[in-house]
């Protein structure tokens, strides 16, 4: 049953129980193999998103279930996981009320710290390696306080700056699965492109030259899993193609 | 000496980090335009040139020049394609021996293919005729 917040008439909803198969692994008992644990949740007493289900399970059924979460509105990128085969943010993934069960896995081909928490250390290191900050060759002149940028130049950054580094795209890329040591992955390359085409940045040529090797960019074979899975609707595949185009001089 | 290894490492700007932890930077492979953008450019060049070539050989039928071009460009195109697969699935940092074996056998196979195409084009009907049959 559902309680009404205003204290008015309450419609009694029959419990709609669905199964959730969630990947579990405990590093405190490493010999135990990872397994899928089933949970039954009444969807009529729960919020609409997968994150609501996870929090409900953690609150009511199993407090040991471990997952990252923060903003619950799809802007922080913490709750990235694989839901029914697709990498999305749990806080933006609506529960399929018609499906009999929902499978929740951590991001694919990542070392698992615990349950649904992947180890994103290398991902962050790769992001750091592209130097994601503004670099100027000349010091600002006296009195100049802002880096001016035209509206047209600012428009070029639309679709690039919104990346929340959730790692959904990189972990959906087969090339990143097989070569995550050296291939940078769509998320990092999207940001590399964002800094390359920022008109305020003076080091575009050097940024391009830093990627001149067979692995950092050119492991991309336009599989396009990244664009398909981005929970923010960005297009890393296109950004990588633009990098290749800019480098093809 | 008690510690013959150092747990920390100092980088150019004076900062220090503990080796093997989160602050150790990712090392990008050495810069090499030939293996980088020039390789990619060459790959696309071959692929692009195959389009008019194939159309020409379909429309015009067998012709020594298109057969010659096909006989050179096709083996190279396939070589680049297979080479990309080898670097994807057997990169030298992960399987150095297998990578070497496969790369050299691919090169051998491409040479044989080149020679075979040459033989076929000069002494036999030619590649376009062969496909037509």
């Amino acid at each position: 049953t559902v309680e009404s917040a205003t204290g008015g008439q309450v419609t009694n909803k029959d419990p709609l129980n669905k199964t959730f198969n969630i990947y579990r692994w405990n590093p405190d008992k490493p010999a135990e193999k990872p397994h899928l644990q089933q949970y039954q949740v009444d969807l009529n007493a729960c919020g609409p998103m997968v994150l609501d289900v996870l929090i409900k399970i953690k609150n009511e059924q199993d407090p040991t279930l471990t997952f990252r979460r923060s903003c619950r509105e799809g802007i922080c990128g913490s709750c990235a996981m694989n839901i029914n085969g697709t990498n999305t943010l749990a806080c933006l993934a609506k529960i399929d009320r018609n499906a009999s069960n929902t499978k929740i896995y951590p991001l694919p081909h990542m070392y698992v710290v615990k349950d649904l928490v992947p180890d994103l250390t290398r991902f962050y290191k790769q992001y750091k390696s592209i130097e994601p900050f503004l670099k100027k060759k000349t010091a600002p002149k006296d009195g100049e306080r802002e880096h001016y940028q035209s509206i047209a130049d600012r428009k070029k950054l639309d679709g690039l700056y919104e990346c929340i580094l959730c790692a959904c795209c990189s972990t959906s890329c087969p090339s990143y699965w097989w070569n995550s040591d050296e291939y940078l992955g769509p998320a990092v390359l999207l940001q590399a492109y964002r800094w390359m085409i920022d008109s305020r940045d003076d080091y575009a040529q050097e940024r391009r030259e830093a990627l001149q090797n067979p692995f950092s960019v050119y492991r991309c074979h336009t599989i396009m899993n990244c664009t398909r899975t981005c929970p923010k609707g960005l297009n890393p595949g296109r950004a990588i193609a633009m990098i290749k185009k800019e480098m093809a001089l | 000496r008690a510690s013959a290894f150092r747990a920390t490492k100092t980088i150019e700007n004076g900062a220090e980090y503990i080796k093997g932890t989160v602050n150790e930077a990712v090392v990008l492979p050495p810069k090499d335009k030939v293996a980088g953008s020039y390789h990619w450019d060459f790959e696309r060049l071959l692929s692009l040139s195959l389009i008019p070539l194939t159309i020409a050989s379909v429309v015009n039928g067998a012709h020594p020049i298109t057969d010659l071009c096909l006989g050179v460009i096709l083996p190279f195109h396939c070589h680049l394609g297979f080479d990309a697969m080898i670097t994807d699935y057997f990169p030298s940092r992960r399987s150095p021996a297998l990578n070497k074996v496969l790369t050299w056998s691919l090169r051998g196979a491409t040479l044989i293919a080149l020679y075979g195409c040459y033989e076929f084009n000069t002494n036999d009907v030619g590649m376009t005729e062969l496909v037509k049959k």
Side-chain angles (χ1 to χ4, degrees):
Chain A
T1 56
V2 178
E3 286 200 350
S4 165
T6 54
Q9 277 290 346
V10 161
T11 44
N12 275 340
K13 285 190 186 165
D14 298 320
L16 180 60
N17 285 320
K18 294 290 185 189
T19 317
F20 288 84
N21 294 333
I22 305 184
Y23 180 102
R24 305 295 311 273
W25 181 70
N26 191 351
D28 297 326
K29 300 182 193 136
E32 270 182 32
K33 287 205 173 139
H35 57 281
L36 283 179
Q37 193 161 344
Q38 289 207 357
Y39 298 95
Q40 299 284 336
V41 174
D42 176 13
L43 293 187
N44 283 332
C46 178
M49 302 300 186
V50 173
L51 184 64
D52 298 317
V53 169
L54 289 171
I55 292 175
K56 190 178 171 68
I57 294 173
K58 193 174 172 73
N59 278 343
E60 298 171 5
Q61 297 182 39
D62 185 357
T64 63
L65 178 63
T66 308
F67 50 92
R68 287 195 178 114
R69 84 281 174 267
S70 181
C71 71
R72 69 93 177 98
E73 59 185 358
I75 196 64
C76 71
S78 308
C79 58
M81 53 187 75
N82 187 301
I83 296 164
N84 284 330
T86 309
N87 290 348
T88 45
L89 302 171
C91 58
L92 293 181
K94 285 196 267 283
I95 308 165
D96 186 352
R97 296 175 74 89
N98 299 319
S100 57
N101 70 338
T102 306
K103 295 198 188 100
I104 304 177
Y105 278 82
L107 290 175
H109 212 275
M110 287 272 127
Y111 283 111
V112 170
V113 173
K114 182 175 180 180
D115 292 347
L116 301 170
V117 175
D119 180 2
L120 293 171
T121 316
R122 185 186 284 138
F123 178 73
Y124 297 137
K125 282 197 203 183
Q126 285 168 332
Y127 179 57
K128 185 178 176 178
S129 72
I130 57 150
E131 300 188 333
F133 41 83
L134 199 63
K135 302 204 295 182
K136 303 287 282 186
K137 289 195 168 152
T138 53
K141 299 197 261 290
D142 271 338
E144 228 180 58
R145 313 236 295 201
E146 300 107 349
H147 299 293
Y148 287 111
Q149 185 175 52
S150 69
I151 295 181
D153 281 335
R154 171 63 184 79
K155 240 190 147 88
K156 291 187 199 159
L157 300 178
D158 286 339
L160 303 175
Y161 78 90
E162 298 97 330
C163 174
I164 55 176
L165 293 173
C166 63
C168 282
C169 60
S170 290
T171 47
S172 68
C173 174
S175 282
Y176 192 72
W177 294 343
W178 316 141
N179 290 313
S180 44
D181 320 3
E182 300 202 316
Y183 176 46
L184 292 178
V188 172
L189 288 171
L190 184 84
Q191 292 305 299
Y193 182 58
R194 175 251 176 280
W195 289 106
M196 261 183 228
I197 53 147
D198 193 334
S199 61
R200 303 166 292 172
D201 184 85
D202 293 335
Y203 279 76
Q205 181 64 21
E206 287 82 347
R207 289 180 191 274
R208 282 193 284 272
E209 280 174 12
L211 299 175
Q212 285 283 9
N213 60 73
F215 280 97
S216 299
V217 177
Y218 293 111
R219 283 310 97 205
C220 170
H221 301 302
T222 61
I223 297 172
M224 296 304 267
N225 257 4
C226 51
T227 307
R228 188 181 200 182
T229 206
C230 177
K232 303 293 288 176
L234 306 180
N235 196 340
R238 184 185 159 275
I240 299 178
M242 301 298 283
I243 298 179
K244 290 177 184 171
K245 187 175 106 172
E246 301 235 328
M247 283 173 71
L249 19 85
Chain B
R1 291 230 311 269
S3 55
F5 75 99
R6 301 209 56 194
T8 58
K9 189 168 172 169
T10 314
I11 55 176
E12 310 88 61
N13 64 2
E16 259 195 9
Y17 65 89
I18 301 174
K19 285 191 242 183
T21 61
V22 290
N23 287 325
E24 184 169 4
V26 134
V27 178
L28 290 178
K31 287 183 219 183
D32 178 10
K33 271 199 175 166
V34 173
S37 61
Y38 292 169
H39 190 274
W40 189 85
D41 289 346
F42 187 56
E43 237 179 46
R44 312 296 134 159
L45 184 72
L46 290 186
S47 310
L48 274 175
S49 59
L50 275 174
I51 300 174
L53 211 50
T54 321
I55 296 175
S57 67
V58 159
V59 164
N60 277 340
H63 190 292
I65 295 187
T66 49
D67 277 351
L68 170 71
C69 292
L70 273 173
V72 167
I73 295 184
L74 260 178
F76 272 117
H77 175 80
C78 300
H79 173 91
L80 288 175
F82 281 112
D83 191 54
M85 285 164 66
I86 296 176
T87 25
D88 271 351
Y89 297 118
F90 307 102
S92 49
R93 72 176 185 284
R94 201 163 58 211
S95 40
L98 197 53
N99 178 291
K100 267 211 149 58
V101 164
L102 285 170
T103 317
W104 282 105
S105 39
L106 175 65
R107 289 173 184 164
T110 309
L111 283 172
I112 295 174
L114 273 168
Y115 174 68
C117 288
Y118 167 76
E119 270 294 323
F120 206 79
N121 282 335
T122 35
N123 300 338
D124 209 321
V125 249
M127 296 174 74
T128 317
E129 271 302 314
L130 169 71
V131 170
K132 263 188 167 175
K133 281 189 183 173

